[in-house]
Amino acid sequence: MIAMHRQTMHRRSFLAGCGCCSALALTGCTTTGTGEGNATPGYRPSAATDEGGLWQVMDRTESELKRSRALVRDEAVNTYLRDIVCRMTADHCADIRVYVVRTPVFNASMAPNGMMQVYSGLLLRTRNEAQLAAVLGHEIGHYLRKHSLQKWRDARAKADFGAFLSLGLALAGIPAVGSLTQMALLASIFSYSRDQEREADDIGIQLMAKAGYAPGEAARVWEQLVAEKKAMAEEAERNVFFASHPEPEERQAILKAKATGLAQPGQTDGAEPYRRTLR
């Protein structure tokens, strides 16, 4: 299925990850905003800042996503995912909108304006609610620490716009056109740094444990991915997810060690509600 839909996956999976390329199209947004550090509940940057321009592009992308035929609109599934997100980050519940996208990729993404995409491939390959919470918590970690804004500013500072965009288009296999939507599709090519990924892992496992999920399930997600990577070695070499993240073996070991200190009586893997909702 992955091989058959590789082109579709490349296009969809680049949607709204960080907004690097899309925000570069906003030539009028040159003022640096003050949005460093942690995201605060209810925060929205001024439109006159570079961060505000990035949010505007993501808002447009979100409007298009709402009309997409790829959305899974099942209310029970959407409510279930929103509840998991709110369980882990109650203060930011109103700021995060969750969209389930029919794409056979093991991934989720979080845009700086609070738009979260959860891919159907992730829902089919995590085995319980705690594993799903681990992945969603990781994305929330990127959001809370404003990693996408940091990444975009770093890329803008280091790269010439033309070379940056041409490289992105070439990697994504998308024709060079001026559409903001297509530029937004390139977002996740320019991946978070591995330190940012590790920080998001750390935040994610803490959020899930605090919400009552068994933290050991975070490591089991990567144990399953290690097995998949070995079984699909050739495909994994071309997979953006594996290429842009720390090695699954490393993440598995780190998360397993962290889980030991976070484990508490009464934590659950949530397997039964997960199966009941997604069957």
Side-chain angles (χ1 to χ4, degrees), residues 119-166:
Y119 299 158
S120 58
L122 170 64
L123 300 180
L124 292 170
R125 288 152 74 189
T126 48
R127 297 179 182 177
N128 54 51
E129 191 171 307
Q131 290 188 7
L132 177 58
V135 178
L136 301 186
H138 172 92
E139 294 304 323
I140 292 169
H142 284 311
Y143 170 74
L144 294 178
R145 292 297 295 147
K146 297 192 176 185
H147 286 163
S148 58
L149 177 63
Q150 297 169 28
K151 176 171 65 168
W152 171 59
R153 285 177 174 166
D154 182 64
R156 187 181 63 175
K158 292 179 179 177
D160 171 77
F161 172 76
F164 183 75
L165 179 58
S166 297

Side-chain angles (χ1 to χ4, degrees), residues 204-219:
I205 195 171
Q206 292 187 54
L207 288 175
M208 67 178 291
K210 186 177 179 180
Y213 294 112
E217 292 300 315

Side-chain angles (χ1 to χ4, degrees), residues 191-207:
S191 58
Y192 295 115
S193 72
R194 295 198 170 193
D195 284 342
Q196 288 173 330
E197 293 289 358
R198 294 182 183 101
E199 184 176 31
D201 273 347
D202 186 56
I203 293 171
I205 195 171
Q206 292 187 54
L207 288 175

